[in-house]
Amino acid sequence: MNAPISIARVDEIAEGRGKAFDVGEKRITVFQVDGRLHAIDDACPHAGASLAKGYLEDGNVGYPWHYAEFGLATGKHRHAPSTCGVAVYPVTVTDGPTHMEVA
Ligand code: FES
C-alpha cells in the first residue's frame, strides 16, 4: 500500500478497542489508544488469530490463544510463540476529522 486509502469513520473505533477492515488484499486492524490510532496487520503470524479481539497492555496488543504480543507502534513481536512481527501502517485522519486513511 502506498497511496492512502480511506477505510472508515474515526468514531467506528472505540477507545481501547480494535476493529478489522479489509483494505485491498489485506486485513488490517485499527486500534485507538489514548486518542491515537494504530493500524497493524490483523493476522497473528503464529497461527493466524485475528488481533482485532486482542487485549491491549502497555502499548502492545496480545492475543489469548497463545499470548504472543506485538508493539502497536512498531509491530515488533514481544513474546513467543510468534517469532516475527506484523506490519504497521501510518494512519491519517481527514475530513475534519471524521475519516481515517492508511497508506
Ligand atoms: S495465533 Fe497468535 S500466538 Fe498463536
Side-chain angles (χ1 to χ4, degrees), residues 44 46-49 65-68 81:
C44 176
H46 176 240
W65 276 9
H66 313 112
Y67 298 101

Side-chain angles (χ1 to χ4, degrees), residues 43-51 62-70 79-82:
C44 176
H46 176 240
S50 169
L51 296 175
Y63 199 79
W65 276 9
H66 313 112
Y67 298 101
E69 289 186 358
F70 305 92
H79 297 286
S82 181

Side-chain angles (χ1 to χ4, degrees), residues 40-57:
I40 68 172
D41 275 341
D42 182 57
C44 176
H46 176 240
S50 169
L51 296 175
K53 300 276 191 268
Y55 58 86
L56 297 170
E57 189 174 86

Side-chain angles (χ1 to χ4, degrees), residues 14-77:
E15 175 65 34
R17 296 292 179 98
K19 185 172 182 178
F21 300 93
D22 290 318
V23 183
E25 302 286 314
K26 296 180 178 287
R27 188 148 177 91
I28 293 174
T29 290
V30 179
F31 291 95
Q32 185 169 178
V33 178
D34 297 329
R36 297 190 65 191
L37 298 167
H38 302 272
I40 68 172
D41 275 341
D42 182 57
C44 176
H46 176 240
S50 169
L51 296 175
K53 300 276 191 268
Y55 58 86
L56 297 170
E57 189 174 86
D58 298 331
N60 300 312
V61 56
Y63 199 79
W65 276 9
H66 313 112
Y67 298 101
E69 289 186 358
F70 305 92
L72 282 175
T74 64
K76 289 184 179 175
H77 76 284

